[in-house]
Amino acid sequence: MSLVPGSDSLTQIISLLTYAFFIVFIFYGQRIQMYIMVREVENNLHKLRVIKDEGRKTAIEALKEMGKPTSDPSARVDRYLDYFTISPQTMDPSGIVYKLDHILDMRDERLKEEVRLMAPAAAGDEVQINNLENTLEAAMALNYIYKVVRHYYIQGKKTLSLYVIMQLQMILPMVMKEAEAYGSALKAFAYGQPIGDSVGPLIASRLMHGYEARKVYKDCVVASVPFEGRTALVLKAEGPGGNVGKPGDAIEGVIEEQQGKLAMVIMIDAGLKLEGELVGEVSEGIGAAIGGPGVDAFKIEEKVTKYKLPLYAVIVKEDIGDAVSPMRREIHEAADKAIERVRDIVKERTKEGDTVLIVGVGNSIGVGQ
């Protein structure tokens, strides 16, 4: 017998509510979970739309400020943002690298032509054209990210597929991080500020400072520099405009000029860090330190293999957000550490009088010769 009046009734109510909760959870738990995920995806999609719209607005303002167009460039910008590139067929992989190289060259020229049409006042200034192209490409990346996320969101909502929404919700933190990085990169590109990916050209620029640089194939420059009793041929993309050049072709050309008589090739680039590693850590390795679709890496590997040249790599670690955002102090300071690492490699693995090729890979925006 209960000593508290009404306690039996209260216990029965709580038990009924518990049973009701479990019954609802069994039959509708998955759907409730999906609605929670859909709501979270909707919130992130709204943030993506804001970032994408801000990117478009920044690109249009940069075009108006630097290019002085006679009419509103908004319609052309919208057309530019939807531009796409179709990769070559891979059914027969023979020669695919050079097919892809040709398509990428055509894409680059086509996009630059569009920029010249939208920004007539900047048409004769390659630095401004390159900066505006980089700005529009960042806006294009944001536009593409938004459309892909929206596609899977709508598809998952239409089909009420928990697994589509769940996969989208799981990768959204990484997608949002990348989108925010591109968003912060827009003004850096528009105003020619160095970004994290500029660390390779920054190191090359410090090494060649005060020495005459000559232009080599496709927007790259090289300078002959005395270095630890050796001769260093220092190569980078031409700056200070937003430009990565074609380091694969440039390295091929320099190696052929030297008839393969190099003691080594050292490539310096930004490298993706793992979580827990510090931004600006410097690491040393072997191989072609270069990103992108692989065309440049293929050409470099072909040429160093032909002449049996040692190929060393030095990377400055950063994450994807750092790579496209204005250069952080830690990355700028890491340039001195990377130069010391290059000095050690050259002194330990070559002898005095040798010639070495040092390549600063990356976007030369804000970094001159």
Side-chain angles (χ1 to χ4, degrees), residues 2 29 32 39 110 116-117 146 174 216 263 293 297 310 346:
S2 173
I32 292 168
R39 188 64 182 167
R110 179 73 176 83
R116 289 187 184 98
L117 289 171
Y146 170 73
M174 291 174 284
V216 289
V346 169

Side-chain angles (χ1 to χ4, degrees), residues 150-322:
R150 184 183 63 182
H151 165 76
Y152 285 108
Y153 161 72
I154 294 172
Q155 192 176 63
K157 199 171 178 183
K158 273 184 177 179
T159 59
L160 294 178
S161 171
L162 174 66
Y163 298 103
V164 172
I165 294 295
M166 185 183 292
Q167 288 180 79
L168 182 58
Q169 187 250 0
M170 284 190 292
I171 66 165
L172 264 176
M174 291 174 284
V175 171
M176 293 302 297
K177 186 177 181 180
E178 188 170 348
E180 286 163 3
Y182 278 115
S184 65
L186 278 155
K187 289 188 178 177
F189 286 133
Y191 298 107
Q193 299 172 343
I195 59 174
D197 189 49
S198 304
V199 68
L202 174 64
I203 293 165
S205 176
R206 288 187 180 180
L207 291 174
M208 66 169 61
H209 182 68
Y211 295 90
E212 185 179 353
R214 61 184 174 87
K215 196 163 180 177
V216 289
Y217 184 77
K218 195 62 177 176
D219 301 331
C220 289
V221 293
V222 66
S224 180
V225 178
F227 190 73
E228 300 297 328
R230 289 83 169 162
T231 298
L233 300 173
V234 184
L235 187 148
K236 67 182 282 291
E238 188 176 22
N243 186 21
V244 295
K246 294 195 71 175
D249 290 310
I251 291 169
E252 273 191 323
V254 172
I255 291 174
E256 286 297 342
E257 279 180 6
Q258 299 295 314
Q259 299 178 333
K261 294 175 182 176
L262 295 171
M264 65 169 57
V265 178
I266 304 174
M267 299 185 68
I268 309 162
D269 195 8
L272 194 62
K273 79 177 186 70
L274 300 173
E275 291 298 330
E277 292 183 316
L278 297 176
V279 173
E281 280 187 14
V282 178
S283 290
E284 176 190 338
I286 301 292
I290 187 167
V295 172
D296 291 298
F298 174 85
K299 291 180 179 180
I300 295 163
E301 290 160 1
E302 283 273 289
K303 196 57 64 176
V304 298
T305 301
K306 176 183 174 182
Y307 290 105
K308 306 297 181 188
L309 301 176
L311 179 60
Y312 294 96
V314 174
I315 63 168
V316 177
K317 294 186 177 181
E318 51 194 74
D319 65 25
I320 183 63
D322 298 322

